[in-house]
Amino acid sequence: MDWNDDGLLDIIVGDRDGFIHYYRRTSNLDAITLTAEADIVCAGTTIDAGANSAPVCVDWNEDGNLDMLVGNETGNVRLYLNDGGDSDPVFSTFTNLQSGGSNILHYRNCPQVIDLNLDGKKDLLCGANDNNIYYYENTGTNSSPSFSGSEILVSEYSGIRFSVADWNGDSFLDILSSDYNGYVEVHIQVVTGTAESPETIPSRTLLPAQNPFYGSVLIQGDGFNDAVIEVFDLSGRIVADGSFSGSYLLDGSSLATGTYFATVRDSEGTATLRLLKL
């Protein structure tokens, strides 16, 4: 992720002692170089989030600035809202994320933020030492997430750490997980529906003119009526939207490299397309 908004991808990582380290990328050439900066601070004090700190950076409240979630050994998920700018994050305090009015708690919590159900709102996933990956669906809004319970997506071995990606290229998000024993497993998302109420419309087509793409890309489709299109990143943040009458030109010149999803909706359902910006 680009911590200081300079167009280069940096690294934010937690450690066993609870600190949050910042490694700033200083080169955009083939030879990637990083420099260790000062540890992340809150209210002027170096953050000690508790043993086994696990940070993830995301614009949680959709104000255009990167915020930070941090899991830890006791199981909380701390939310640090950015009071500064995107190029100079500033944190003054933190709160613990809650579900149904109680703090989210999973021993050695490793959180990730992703729009798992592709509804345009960021959801929360938590990998824990009790063998499970928990899914908290966002029942609030994208700019003010809230949660009212969880379900277990994956149950394996202790010490689950994971990443979310479209592993098989079918436009649905899958899970890659590792565990205490050193194994890495792929969990493929299977989307089901009924003939009366399908989740996607097989008779429709939704295709990009080129994929991967660099600058702009023309998205074309058939079988939609009075539709709208939304393009969002892996955290559920909408980066473009508009009406869709068979085609839509996505200007991706200002988008960071990475994976995006274009969803077209009308009164009969939805269709989703995965895009890769280079």
Side-chain angles (χ1 to χ4, degrees):
M1 46 74 59
D2 184 2
W3 180 252
N4 59 348
D5 198 29
D6 64 354
L8 302 177
L9 295 178
D10 310 303
I11 295 176
I12 302 294
V13 62
D15 69 10
R16 171 65 181 169
D17 297 320
F19 303 117
I20 312 296
H21 305 299
Y22 167 33
Y23 296 93
R24 179 172 59 90
R25 184 172 176 177
T26 57
S27 172
N28 199 27
L29 303 176
D30 292 336
I32 296 174
T33 58
L34 295 167
T35 181
E37 301 290 344
D39 289 348
I40 307 300
V41 302
C42 177
T45 302
T46 300
I47 292 174
D48 181 355
N52 292 311
S53 57
V56 59
C57 301
V58 62
D59 183 3
W60 186 255
N61 56 2
E62 295 298 313
D63 65 352
N65 299 324
L66 279 176
D67 308 304
M68 185 170 64
L69 301 182
V70 184
N72 57 29
E73 185 160 316
T74 58
N76 293 296
V77 181
R78 294 184 174 193
L79 169 61
Y80 293 84
L81 290 177
N82 183 358
D83 298 324
D86 209 24
S87 61
D88 185 23
V90 174
F91 305 112
S92 58
T93 188
F94 73 89
T95 57
N96 290 320
L97 291 189
Q98 294 191 335
S99 174
S102 299
N103 287 349
I104 294 174
L105 285 173
H106 300 291
Y107 180 58
R108 290 193 175 178
N109 205 332
C110 178
Q112 295 288 335
V113 178
I114 196 82
D115 180 11
L116 191 66
N117 57 358
L118 301 181
D119 65 352
K121 300 186 295 184
K122 59 178 72 73
D123 306 307
L124 178 69
L125 279 73
C126 295
N129 248 47
D130 64 358
N131 309 345
N132 299 319
I133 296 177
Y134 296 88
Y135 166 47
Y136 289 84
E137 181 181 357
N138 183 358
T139 56
T141 65
N142 197 40
S143 60
S144 182
S146 63
F147 311 102
S148 58
S150 66
E151 61 179 286
I152 295 174
L153 293 183
V154 173
S155 186
E156 282 189 350
Y157 303 101
S158 65
I160 288 181
R161 298 296 180 262
F162 67 99
S163 179
V164 181
D166 180 10
W167 182 256
N168 59 353
D170 64 355
S171 295
F172 297 107
L173 296 174
D174 311 303
I175 293 177
L176 285 80
S177 65
S178 63
D179 58 44
Y180 181 81
N181 297 315
Y183 296 107
V184 177
E185 296 190 0
V186 179
H187 307 270
I188 301 297
Q189 181 180 173
V190 177
V191 178
T192 60
T194 65
E196 295 77 15
S197 179
E199 296 191 16
T200 58
I201 310 299
S203 61
R204 298 180 175 188
T205 61
L206 189 63
L207 296 170
Q210 64 271 348
N211 198 19
F213 70 98
Y214 291 91
S216 299
V217 58
L218 181 65
I219 300 171
Q220 297 174 300
D222 293 319
F224 301 95
N225 296 301
D226 297 323
V228 295
I229 184 172
E230 293 178 331
V231 181
F232 47 94
D233 60 20
L234 286 176
S235 69
R237 181 178 180 179
I238 296 176
V239 298
D241 58 9
S243 60
F244 187 85
S245 58
S247 66
Y248 178 82
L249 181 62
L250 171 64
D251 180 6
S253 58
S254 62
L255 298 180
T257 58
T259 300
Y260 296 86
F261 291 90
T263 297
V264 176
R265 295 185 177 90
D266 64 9
S267 59
E268 297 183 18
T270 67
T272 299
L273 171 70
R274 181 176 67 93
L275 299 167
L276 179 62
K277 166 71 184 299
L278 297 179

